[in-house]
Amino acid sequence: MPNFAERTRAFLKIQDGCNNFCTFCIIPWSRGLSRSRDPKSIIQQARQLVQAGYKEIVLTGIHTGGYGDDLENYDLSDLLWDLDKVEGLERIRISSIEASQIDDKMLDVLKRSSKMCRHLHIPLQAGDDTVLKRMRRKYTTEEFLTKMKLIREAMPDLAITTDVIVGFPGETDEMFRNGYELMKEIGFSEMHVFPYSKRTGTPAARMEDQVDEEVKNARVHELIDLSEQLQLAYAEQFVGQVVEVIPEREYKGAPNGGKMQGYSDNYLQLVFDGGPELEGQVCRVKITKAGVNECEGVLVGVLENGLAAAQ
């Protein structure tokens, strides 16, 4: 059996490989094209995980949103509805999905499924159209922004996290500034910021206008500062609200112990009073204080078989 630290969230791989051929990435050559797992085997494994005590399943893959590209009349939205029917499963989270893969069917799942977490990780990679084109990404900044608005209409209060590559070959100060302003406008709840690094064998590694390392580092720091501002602004909206948290482990930062930590469905890390007896339970926690990496809260109840039991 998995131990307590791993018992709340199970990672379930649904596909491998990628069809995108972005100029900075070697994966389609090293891992091959997108291959989807058989839906029946995924559902069967999900049921086994629930029986083993898991309440949340995170769907993973190299290009998770591309699930079903090689299947007939069955895609990620269909899989999500089938998982939605798995009894005892409380939460479904997608590890990562491309903006272009969030179509009307997916928006409908976000709107109507009670099990979908209010959190999507949607890689932006760059916030300037010239850079996106050179990266061979399949969207413009305007298309990305429009999609974010549609997602938030379907699922209000959603946390959107992202990946950003800084200092891609040819990225000028103006292009970087365009990206900075776009990220601010979108209001991501967290950004994973990476300086561009050459991958041997990729088209981007052969581009001539590589960006100076010092310039890259300065831009990275600027975006990390922005990410922290956006993280705090997102968390502050929920102070005073009650969210559902599945405690993952005892909180090591409390000198005398007696605190637990775990994630809400909208990916806020919460610390609150409680002991290991809460492991694997769905706890109702009122947020009392927002922070960049973690928020504080008080336990107001535990859900038992979907019904709230007062503490």
Side-chain angles (χ1 to χ4, degrees), residues 118-260:
R118 289 179 299 169
H119 167 231
L120 287 175
H121 184 79
I122 308 173
L124 171 64
Q125 304 300 15
D128 177 88
D129 288 336
T130 306
V131 182
L132 286 172
K133 204 169 181 180
R134 296 194 81 189
M135 287 179 164
R136 215 182 283 149
R137 300 293 284 168
K138 295 178 177 174
Y139 48 83
T140 62
T141 52
E142 194 178 331
E143 285 164 353
F144 194 96
L145 189 57
T146 302
K147 198 61 71 85
M148 296 308 104
K149 287 172 180 167
L150 288 171
I151 293 164
R152 287 195 167 121
E153 280 169 25
M155 193 180 253
D157 294 338
L158 173 86
I160 302 176
T161 54
T162 197
D163 294 328
V164 181
I165 295 171
V166 178
F168 188 77
E171 183 187 70
T172 62
D173 280 337
E174 188 190 355
M175 291 169 193
F176 171 73
R177 202 51 51 208
N178 290 342
Y180 185 97
E181 293 306 323
L182 179 74
M183 291 162 212
K184 210 165 150 181
E185 186 180 352
I186 290 167
F188 291 111
S189 59
E190 189 181 355
M191 305 194 304
H192 302 163
V193 182
F194 308 94
Y196 168 75
S197 61
K198 287 184 183 182
R199 292 278 177 274
T200 308
T202 60
R206 297 189 293 274
M207 291 178 183
E208 286 177 7
D209 39 7
Q210 301 289 328
V211 175
D212 182 75
E213 290 301 319
E214 277 183 32
V215 173
K216 262 191 240 180
N217 290 336
R219 289 176 186 172
V220 164
H221 286 299
E222 216 178 319
L223 283 188
I224 288 171
D225 286 347
L226 176 63
S227 177
E228 290 186 354
Q229 289 167 36
L230 295 175
Q231 249 178 298
L232 188 59
Y234 179 75
E236 279 172 343
Q237 300 174 71
F238 298 94
V239 172
Q241 288 192 32
V242 175
V243 293
E244 290 177 6
V245 179
I246 304 176
E248 295 195 359
R249 62 184 73 84
E250 285 187 79
Y251 179 60
K252 300 285 185 260
N256 306 314
K259 285 186 185 288
M260 301 297 288

Side-chain angles (χ1 to χ4, degrees), residues 269-310:
Q269 180 156 269
L270 271 143
V271 175
F272 58 96
D273 288 336
E277 73 280 355
L278 295 172
E279 91 176 55
Q281 305 280 344
V282 181
C283 298
R284 288 173 58 75
V285 178
K286 185 176 183 177
I287 300 177
T288 54
K289 187 181 175 187
V292 172
N293 292 314
E294 62 190 29
C295 301
E296 293 172 22
V298 290
L299 184 66
V300 295
V302 179
L303 292 183
E304 291 175 3
N305 301 322
L307 299 170

